[in-house]
Amino acid sequence: MKILVCVTSVPDTTTKITFTDNNTKLNKAGVTFITGPYDDYALARAVELKEKTGATITVLNVGEADSEPVIRKCLAIGADDAIRVNAEPTDAYFVAEQIAAIAKENKYDLILMGRESIDYNGGQVHGIVGEMLGIPSISPVMLLDLDGDTAKITREIEGGKESLEAKLPLVLGCQEPIAEWKIPNMRGIMTARTKPLKVVEPTATDKLSAVASYELPAPRGAVKMIPADAAETLIQLLHTEAKVI
């Protein structure tokens, strides 16, 4: 079995975000990048499946050279090899097209990724990849087991959970509690240095979107403390100042 795990390189959740080029690009200066947390869940479950079935795991990232430390960490956790598409991940369609091109060439049985990245939180890539490959795409997946060429899946739906089965190959967008995050050990870190990391150029694609500008959320305003016995004052302020009622 061949498993492809697609990972994103995203700013650490504690990063203070700023922008450059007239607010059209992220300022990467001083930013620490990490594997997307939902992608970490996907990779952790892939490693567990590898231990059970003897599958091979390839990690795929669409990104520039500064994403390679993130890729090496994935190799240290248990992936066998990696591919980096040498391009800035400009939008979901572009990223999906690169993933689909790699998948068509290598014929993976299972394609795992996070349900969404935590930079744009679009949650679109897995669905687009499935459509491009003509195979099922399911998200957000909370539980995954394999029985031969059948995947047994539990996913989150509004107000509950849904259990279903699907034949391989397929694309899954993963979230907790599909697996527990794995921390690379020293042996994994050492072996990751010699595992193959192939860099390929992106496939040509039409540019369908562009960033007009980014802006930061409005700063938090001053806090007013209202005594617990002043319910009328609180209601008045919620109506006249906060305008939420």
Side-chain angles (χ1 to χ4, degrees):
M1 174 178 289
K2 296 172 64 178
I3 302 175
L4 179 68
V5 180
C6 306
V7 301
T8 53
S9 176
V10 296
D12 187 277
T13 53
T14 61
T15 298
K16 184 176 181 180
I17 298 297
T18 60
F19 304 108
T20 61
D21 292 357
N22 198 27
N23 291 331
T24 60
K25 289 185 178 181
L26 170 69
N27 181 8
K28 294 184 178 182
V31 174
T32 298
F33 285 84
I34 62 171
T35 309
Y38 294 115
D39 304 327
D40 267 329
Y41 287 117
L43 177 59
R45 187 58 184 141
V47 171
E48 292 173 351
L49 293 173
K50 173 184 174 180
E51 293 169 351
K52 285 184 178 180
T53 67
T56 60
I57 302 173
T58 297
V59 166
L60 172 61
N61 169 258
V62 180
E64 298 173 309
D66 55 8
S67 66
E68 291 196 3
V70 165
I71 299 172
R72 288 292 178 191
K73 180 183 176 182
C74 294
L75 292 170
I77 287 172
D80 298 288
D81 59 85
I83 300 171
R84 180 174 67 83
V85 178
N86 188 33
E88 180 184 359
T90 51
D91 61 31
Y93 189 88
F94 175 81
V95 171
E97 194 153 49
Q98 306 312 312
I99 294 171
I102 298 295
K104 287 176 182 177
E105 181 180 349
N106 294 282
K107 307 296 183 185
Y108 297 100
D109 301 289
L110 183 61
I111 301 174
L112 303 179
M113 63 186 75
R115 74 174 194 186
E116 63 186 11
S117 63
I118 64 163
D119 47 7
Y120 292 98
N121 300 96
Q124 303 176 64
V125 173
H126 41 73
I128 301 173
V129 170
E131 176 66 21
M132 288 178 170
L133 297 176
I135 60 177
S137 172
I138 302 169
S139 180
V141 175
M142 305 168 64
L143 296 172
L144 168 64
D145 286 303
L146 297 178
D147 183 5
D149 65 348
T150 300
K152 297 183 178 181
I153 297 161
T154 300
R155 70 170 177 172
E156 185 177 16
I157 59 174
E158 186 174 355
K161 301 175 184 178
E162 179 183 47
S163 296
L164 48 95
E165 295 184 357
K167 292 288 186 182
L168 303 180
L170 71 163
V171 183
L172 302 180
C174 304
Q175 68 170 40
E176 73 285 355
I178 194 169
E180 291 187 6
W181 287 345
K182 297 187 181 299
I183 299 173
N185 55 34
M186 184 55 65
R187 183 177 179 219
I189 293 171
M190 297 300 291
T191 58
R193 297 176 181 177
T194 58
K195 288 182 178 179
L197 196 171
K198 181 180 179 182
V199 179
V200 300
E201 294 305 312
T203 60
T205 182
D206 294 331
K207 189 173 183 179
L208 301 181
S209 65
V211 174
S213 67
Y214 294 109
E215 61 183 54
L216 296 173
R220 294 182 180 180
V223 175
K224 289 186 177 181
M225 303 298 292
I226 309 299
D229 58 355
E232 291 185 3
T233 301
L234 175 61
I235 292 170
Q236 181 183 9
L237 291 172
L238 290 174
H239 178 67
T240 59
E241 293 191 13
K243 300 185 185 303
V244 296
I245 60 173

